[in-house]
Amino acid sequence: MSKPKVAFFDFACCEGCQLCAIDLEPEQLLDLVSVVDIVEFREAMSETGDQLDIAFVEGSITRDSDIDRLKKIRERAKLVVALGACSMIAGINALKNFQTKAEYTQAVYPEDPNKYETTTAKAIGEIIQVDAFIPGCPIDTGEFLRVTKNLVLGKTPDIPTYPVCVECKRNENVCVYEKGIQCLGPVIRAGCNARCPSNGGYCFGCRGLIPEPNINSQQDIMQKYGLTYEKMLEKFKLFLQRNQEIFGDDQ
Amino acid sequence: MTKPEILITTKKSILKGLDQAHSTYRIIALTRNQERVIYDYINSSDEIELEYQPTVLSVKKFFFPQDEIILDYTVEGKVTPRIEAENLVLFGVRPCDLNGIKILDEAFAESHGDPNYLSRREKSIVIGIDCQKVCDKDAFCYKVDSNEAKGGFDIMLYDLEDRYVIQVASAKGQKFLERYFETTPGLPSDLEKALAKKKEGFKGLEPFKNLEKFPEIFEKNKDHPVWEEEGSRCLSCGSCIMVCPTCYCFDVADELALNLKKGQRMRRWDACMLSAFAEVAGGENFRPTAKERLHHRIDRKFNFLMAKHGQAVCVGCGRCVRACLADISPKVIAEKITGK
Amino acid sequence: MMQLDLQPKDEKLYLPDPVRIVEIKDFTDKERFFKLEILSGKSLGHQPGQFVQVSVLGIGEAPISISSPPTKDHFFDLCVRAVGNVTNKLHTLKVGDIFHIRGPFGHGFDADIQQRMQGKHLLFIAGGIGYVPLRSLINNVLPEHHRYKKISILYGCRTPKDRMYQDELAEITKMGGNVELFETVDRTDETWKGNVGVITTLVPKVELDPVNTITAICGPPIMYKFVLISLMERNIPKDNIYMSLERRMKCGVGKCGHCQMGGVYVCQSGPVFKYADVEHNEEVF
């Protein structure tokens, strides 16, 4: 059996998720290339492949001209995997969607606001069909390897549908709310081993919402713990702009 | 049967004994870890916190860990069960958690003996310390008749200022006691004194009036408005279950090494409060709402499993109450259904 | 208080045993028949209606009903619908390949139930893949059909293409005498000349004496409610109705909690339940 052909592509992003994907011990890298054939990798290689088994796509779609390129990747690949928050939920790129185009282009390029083509930031799943995703900002290397293995084995990737609280409790953390910090953990997808709350932070929501979040209850809790409605929305803004339940239809 | 003899030991002797046992056993006790107090492995009795403070997780994690490998295999088909157990002493376990151990002992042995859990239990010595007061505002052990240990311990200690009155409950406890603790004969009045102090500490804190009838009452209250009231706030975050000393549901997952040549089957804590818990491969979810899941969880504590184990399967430790951001409490639910 | 049945530890509780595929047949696009040989040479020793935890190393475990009747040899059959990771992987395996099983588990159509059935009219109602668990009982009673008053089998599928065990169904039709088979499909095609409609439309076709009829049902969750209504209309006592239910299972041995339905573990008390015993269990339907 020939090894599945795998390629990496990026759109609007920092390319950090691709770096995480190959942030491997030497033996891990050897094992990885023993099961997949990496044919295109912006960060590591320059070769171009044709038909692909798996296309990992990093970054969000922020230009109309990206749409064609994304659709071509879809045509070439049996499976498209959204790699990281930008690709999966438009990530922090979507912060600009809270402003008008005039506002953000003026803010970033005051000299020449029309210098670059740019528009509403979108997740790739808003444009093409996505078969799997690896959440996070950045992604977790272990999870990337697990998902890759699962796809090679023909198995649905085992991405948790439960929230960060599960992992926080398993790690026996004191709830950050007890320390007076408001956290999005109860409605955000686990799989990061509660990295932020376990290390003195709180959950920013980079892995996106769980499938059935109780947003009303989450909002009640944040307000009960001292946030005004506006401050609470600020917390959701960083990663969850594309969520209609919180922010309504496209701004 | 002769009355168990009453023995007395000093706290100093207990701590010294634990240090001596350290060469044969790994010792677990309440200890400070950064900002929190948890049950953890200790190297010296100096690290022990004798004064109880509520922990996030119970001692369940030492017998039924968050994750464990249950099988190792190669792709060629060589499969080996992995059953890891070491000599453990759990020191200073409180009645709520001891009742939790008793319930888990029964659950993991019922019908089919779970080799991983039972092996760890066989190799462990559990030393309980009785509580003389309720530990905080969220604990409600006394409401569910769980402020006294009904089992789950090998040795029980009753606090008598700088001494403990000792009660031994098992042959392995007796052996351990003889080997590591210096004791002197005590008088029945010593135990009475300790118990009187407990009585004083729990004065006015009574169990639910109709606790014994809970399974019946909960069975009759399947349509009580409390399920919707409480369930609508539930985040389905699973925190209550992670911290519960008597929850034992698990998930099983296979993981191959990156080279796909060998692998492991693992089990990890799962939770009936999580949305996907009762979903089958075809997509049907047999408990799709938080309300149904909360109802099921509480029924496990006060209805079905209570009928089976003959005691409330909620031990009133208060951990889920502390963990629930939406302020959902088994105590409040029980009060609403059965009265205070 | 109930008496707890406490058991010593079983070191092999989670250890699966190897089986080899000796025959594969495709029933439909999604359903595939496997004849399996237990490599240890031991007989599976199951009751009709029990299940095994099928184990594909590296993928996972899934509960699958045993579709063959009890035998003394070391062969048995499974019919597997490809719906999840384990079952999809099973469909990629070939004759000669090895996978693993644990079990048999659960409570099937035990000796007492089979004893109750003697001399009675047996009414089997199967929807779709629900035929599979019932087949382990059907094929157990058909060779001895004279010991029963009558055997009626009602089988409903979505389309004619979804009919499984078509050869066996043809054989059953040929048997005649006190054995009858009624089939229906939800949606017809040009090949189909039989009944069209949901399975409950078959129930009135059966001539029966309610108190002397024992029914066994298996099908998709939605089916039970409607079939039970139609059986109640025929005055069949709730005591005479057995249902085989599907739930998620991880351990098969009453620990993991996934299959719990109200107070009962389906993997222990079921998957076969008497309707009278569970009619007040609100998590059944």
Side-chain angles (χ1 to χ4, degrees):
Chain A
M1 197 179 83
S2 64
K3 288 187 282 179
K5 286 188 167 48
V6 169
F8 291 78
F9 301 91
D10 51 61
F11 292 88
C13 64
C14 68
E15 303 188 356
C17 289
Q18 286 175 81
L19 280 176
C20 286
I22 53 159
D23 181 18
L24 304 173
E25 301 293 329
E27 18 350 326
Q28 286 180 306
L29 196 57
L30 288 175
D31 279 344
L32 180 65
V33 298
S34 78
V35 294
V36 298
D37 191 4
I38 301 175
V39 295
E40 217 167 298
F41 202 132
R42 169 86 185 273
E43 286 293 330
M45 301 166 78
S46 58
E47 198 184 330
T48 309
D50 295 325
Q51 282 302 303
L52 298 169
D53 293 292
I54 308 171
F56 290 102
V57 178
E58 184 181 356
S60 45
I61 304 305
T62 59
R63 295 180 300 198
D64 291 336
S65 58
D66 290 340
I67 292 175
D68 255 3
R69 193 178 149 229
L70 182 64
K71 286 183 175 164
K72 288 216 172 76
I73 295 168
R74 176 71 268 187
E75 282 165 22
R76 282 178 61 195
K78 281 192 199 138
L79 295 172
V80 172
V81 182
L83 187 69
C86 291
S87 172
M88 178 186 162
I89 51 175
I92 55 169
N93 293 324
L95 272 173
K96 74 174 181 182
N97 300 351
F98 289 108
Q99 299 180 334
T100 64
K101 186 168 176 175
E103 283 169 341
Y104 61 72
T105 51
Q106 182 66 39
V108 181
Y109 306 109
E111 310 294 315
D112 186 1
N114 296 320
K115 187 170 176 184
Y116 296 102
E117 180 203 350
T118 181
T119 180
T120 307
K122 287 184 177 157
I124 65 165
E126 297 178 66
I127 293 154
I128 59 163
Q129 193 214 318
V130 176
D131 304 293
F133 51 82
I134 302 173
C137 178
I139 60 154
D140 176 80
T141 303
E143 191 165 57
F144 165 76
L145 293 175
R146 250 189 342 270
V147 170
T148 305
K149 269 187 293 188
N150 287 339
L151 295 174
V152 169
L153 290 166
K155 194 171 161 183
T156 312
D158 188 14
I159 302 285
T161 55
Y162 50 79
V164 175
C165 291
V166 169
E167 294 175 338
C168 230
K169 293 295 174 295
R170 290 160 52 103
N171 293 346
E172 208 164 358
N173 293 333
V174 174
C175 183
V176 295
Y177 278 91
E178 280 182 40
K179 304 182 219 165
I181 300 165
Q182 296 83 5
C183 170
L184 294 183
V187 291
I188 299 299
R189 192 186 289 272
C192 52
N193 198 20
R195 193 188 299 162
C196 298
S198 301
N199 289 287
Y202 62 89
C203 179
F204 295 87
C206 77
R207 294 173 59 88
L209 292 171
I210 51 171
E212 292 167 34
N214 190 340
I215 297 290
N216 287 339
S217 189
Q218 173 70 18
Q219 293 183 343
D220 289 346
I221 287 160
M222 293 172 84
Q223 290 177 48
K224 187 178 81 192
Y225 280 87
L227 284 189
T228 61
Y229 187 71
E230 288 69 31
K231 287 261 186 218
M232 183 193 72
L233 279 188
E234 286 294 320
K235 291 244 182 188
F236 283 111
K237 275 183 175 177
L238 193 56
F239 282 100
L240 303 174
Q241 191 273 336
R242 301 312 287 160
N243 189 270
Q244 298 187 2
E245 203 179 329
I246 303 172
F247 293 110
D249 222 337
D250 234 339
Q251 292 80 11
Chain B
M1 204 174 99
T2 52
K3 262 191 163 177
E5 70 178 315
I6 292 173
L7 295 171
I8 300 280
T9 184
T10 61
K11 290 188 176 173
K12 235 175 158 175
S13 154
I14 290 276
L15 298 179
K16 197 174 132 199
L18 289 175
D19 283 330
Q20 282 166 357
H22 195 249
S23 58
T24 314
Y25 295 87
R26 292 188 81 188
I27 313 286
I28 292 154
L30 200 63
T31 184
R32 189 156 286 282
N33 174 302
Q34 295 165 352
E35 61 199 347
R36 57 202 177 156
V37 168
I38 61 173
Y39 283 101
D40 204 353
Y41 298 100
I42 56 162
N43 290 312
S44 149
S45 60
D46 300 344
E47 299 163 36
I48 297 176
E49 295 276 333
L50 282 175
E51 188 72 23
Y52 183 73
Q53 298 170 55
T55 55
V56 175
L57 298 182
S58 77
V59 295
K60 173 180 87 176
K61 61 184 177 177
F62 299 104
F63 303 129
F64 173 45
Q66 289 93 325
D67 292 276
E68 70 179 298
I69 295 164
I70 56 173
L71 290 181
D72 290 287
Y73 50 79
T74 63
V75 282
E76 289 82 36
K78 187 177 183 305
V79 195
T80 330
R82 193 192 288 198
I83 299 164
E84 288 172 330
E86 50 189 355
N87 293 328
L88 293 182
V89 173
L90 279 79
F91 173 74
V93 184
R94 300 292 165 154
C96 55
D97 280 2
L98 293 171
N99 287 325
I101 292 173
K102 175 178 176 280
I103 288 163
L104 292 191
D105 285 354
E106 293 168 358
F108 278 108
E110 205 212 343
S111 301
H112 301 268
D114 184 279
N116 299 60
Y117 178 90
L118 295 176
S119 298
R120 293 194 187 95
R121 283 291 287 123
E122 279 169 11
K123 296 187 86 171
S124 67
I125 302 286
V126 178
I127 303 174
I129 297 181
D130 198 30
C131 286
Q132 293 183 328
K133 60 180 197 303
V134 65
C135 58
D136 77 351
K137 67 172 179 30
D138 294 319
F140 57 96
C141 48
Y142 55 91
K143 295 289 284 185
V144 290
D145 191 25
S146 196
N147 53 344
E148 271 172 45
K150 297 178 188 353
F153 57 89
D154 298 292
I155 298 171
M156 190 73 183
L157 304 175
Y158 298 88
D159 199 304
L160 209 60
E161 282 150 24
D162 61 339
R163 298 177 301 159
Y164 287 119
V165 182
I166 302 179
Q167 188 195 340
V168 181
S170 70
K172 65 179 176 177
Q174 181 66 36
K175 239 168 113 183
F176 187 88
L177 175 92
E178 285 165 10
R179 180 145 178 220
Y180 294 108
F181 297 149
E182 282 170 25
T183 59
T184 53
L187 299 167
S189 61
D190 291 321
L191 183 58
E192 281 158 25
K193 228 191 275 173
L195 294 178
K197 209 169 161 201
K198 178 179 184 116
K199 211 169 166 191
E200 184 61 29
F202 282 95
K203 201 172 172 183
L205 303 176
E206 298 295 326
F208 284 111
K209 262 193 227 93
N210 37 23
L211 182 65
E212 274 125 65
K213 294 208 180 96
F214 266 26
E216 227 173 283
I217 299 170
F218 276 79
E219 192 61 34
K220 281 189 195 133
N221 279 281
K222 294 197 173 295
D223 300 316
H224 196 282
V226 72
W227 303 120
E228 178 60 36
E229 284 160 26
E230 303 294 307
S232 64
R233 294 203 310 283
C234 175
L235 291 148
S236 301
C237 74
S239 292
C240 50
I241 289 176
M242 295 296 122
V243 302
C244 181
T246 68
C247 277
Y248 55 90
C249 290
F250 56 81
D251 188 22
V252 179
D254 276 42
E255 177 82 44
L256 280 182
L258 192 50
N259 60 20
L260 309 183
K261 293 205 167 90
K262 57 183 183 178
Q264 294 162 338
R265 180 161 294 164
M266 280 157 317
R267 74 167 166 196
R268 58 171 89 104
W269 289 359
D270 203 344
C272 64
M273 294 298 294
L274 301 176
S275 62
F277 186 80
E279 203 173 281
V280 292
E284 182 93 14
N285 191 337
F286 290 99
R287 223 173 278 122
T289 66
K291 174 188 162 186
E292 293 161 288
R293 295 191 288 269
L294 177 66
H295 190 170
H296 179 72
R297 167 169 158 77
I298 300 297
D299 262 357
R300 277 178 69 100
K301 305 301 174 197
F302 291 139
N303 183 353
F304 342 120
L305 295 191
M306 179 167 173
K308 198 157 148 179
H309 292 277
Q311 69 185 94
V313 171
C314 168
V315 294
C317 66
R319 288 188 178 91
C320 61
V321 183
R322 292 172 207 115
C324 184
L325 289 166
D327 295 328
I328 299 169
S329 156
K331 174 169 163 257
V332 173
I333 292 171
E335 282 171 351
K336 285 190 180 175
I337 288 182
T338 73
K340 309 218 169 187
Chain C
M1 183 189 160
M2 282 181 238
Q3 194 61 43
L4 289 166
D5 166 30
L6 300 184
Q7 294 290 326
K9 68 179 176 196
D10 175 358
E11 306 263 358
K12 293 184 173 172
L13 190 60
Y14 300 118
L15 179 68
D17 299 314
V19 294
R20 180 187 289 123
I21 302 174
V22 292
E23 189 189 341
I24 293 177
K25 266 192 272 185
D26 274 343
F27 282 152
T28 72
D29 294 346
K30 288 252 162 209
E31 281 121 3
R32 184 170 284 187
F33 166 93
F34 294 90
K35 187 176 171 73
L36 303 162
E37 176 187 11
I38 300 173
L39 290 191
S40 69
K42 283 190 194 140
S43 155
L44 188 60
H46 69 288
Q47 302 164 349
Q50 282 191 305
F51 67 96
V52 287
Q53 284 287 105
V54 163
S55 190
V56 181
L57 301 177
I59 305 292
E61 281 190 319
I64 306 284
S65 296
I66 301 157
S67 64
S68 47
T71 46
K72 297 220 159 41
D73 62 23
H74 56 293
F75 293 90
F76 68 101
D77 306 342
L78 297 177
C79 172
V80 181
R81 171 180 283 180
V83 281
N85 286 323
V86 174
T87 50
N88 282 329
K89 197 70 183 181
L90 277 181
H91 275 228
T92 68
L93 300 183
K94 300 188 174 47
V95 170
D97 285 350
I98 286 169
F99 63 90
H100 291 72
I101 58 155
R102 287 191 297 129
F105 291 130
H107 187 256
F109 296 97
D110 62 17
D112 288 347
I113 301 175
Q114 292 184 50
Q115 185 57 41
R116 271 197 80 194
M117 290 177 162
Q118 298 297 320
K120 296 281 165 59
H121 175 192
L122 305 187
L123 172 60
F124 294 98
I125 306 180
I129 196 166
Y131 189 78
V132 170
L134 293 187
R135 179 183 178 261
S136 62
L137 181 58
I138 292 172
N139 286 12
N140 206 34
V141 297
L142 281 180
E144 301 181 324
H145 59 93
H146 55 275
R147 299 175 65 168
Y148 304 92
K149 195 173 157 199
K150 189 159 84 165
I151 296 174
S152 309
I153 301 165
L154 316 189
Y155 181 28
C157 287
R158 246 177 252 166
T159 72
K161 283 196 185 67
D162 296 317
R163 295 169 66 235
M164 297 182 295
Y165 296 100
Q166 294 190 14
D167 299 350
E168 286 184 21
L169 295 175
E171 291 294 316
I172 294 170
T173 311
K174 269 190 238 155
M175 284 179 79
N178 70 340
V179 177
E180 58 185 9
L181 170 71
F182 296 94
E183 286 195 76
T184 184
V185 296
D186 295 351
R187 284 191 313 276
T188 184
D189 64 18
E190 62 284 354
T191 65
W192 185 246
K193 297 186 182 69
N195 297 304
V196 179
V198 293
I199 189 149
T200 46
T201 59
L202 296 180
V203 178
K205 294 182 195 286
V206 182
E207 266 183 54
L208 55 82
D209 166 18
V211 292
N212 285 311
T213 302
I214 294 190
T215 306
I217 316 169
C218 189
I222 182 86
M223 192 188 93
Y224 293 95
K225 205 172 130 192
F226 296 103
V227 166
L228 286 168
I229 291 171
S230 61
L231 292 177
M232 294 301 102
E233 282 167 5
R234 300 295 307 266
N235 298 316
I236 296 187
K238 290 169 181 171
D239 245 352
N240 287 8
I241 300 174
Y242 293 92
M243 312 181 295
S244 176
L245 301 175
E246 180 202 12
R247 285 296 182 279
R248 187 176 185 194
M249 290 170 193
K250 287 290 182 172
C251 72
V253 291
K255 314 282 182 221
C256 79
H258 286 271
C259 71
Q260 210 183 5
M261 190 178 71
V264 296
Y265 285 99
V266 175
C267 71
Q268 300 292 290
S269 312
V272 174
F273 292 95
K274 191 198 280 182
Y275 179 42
D277 293 340
V278 293
E279 67 171 317
H280 300 297
N281 184 329
E282 57 178 15
E283 292 205 324
V284 171
F285 307 108

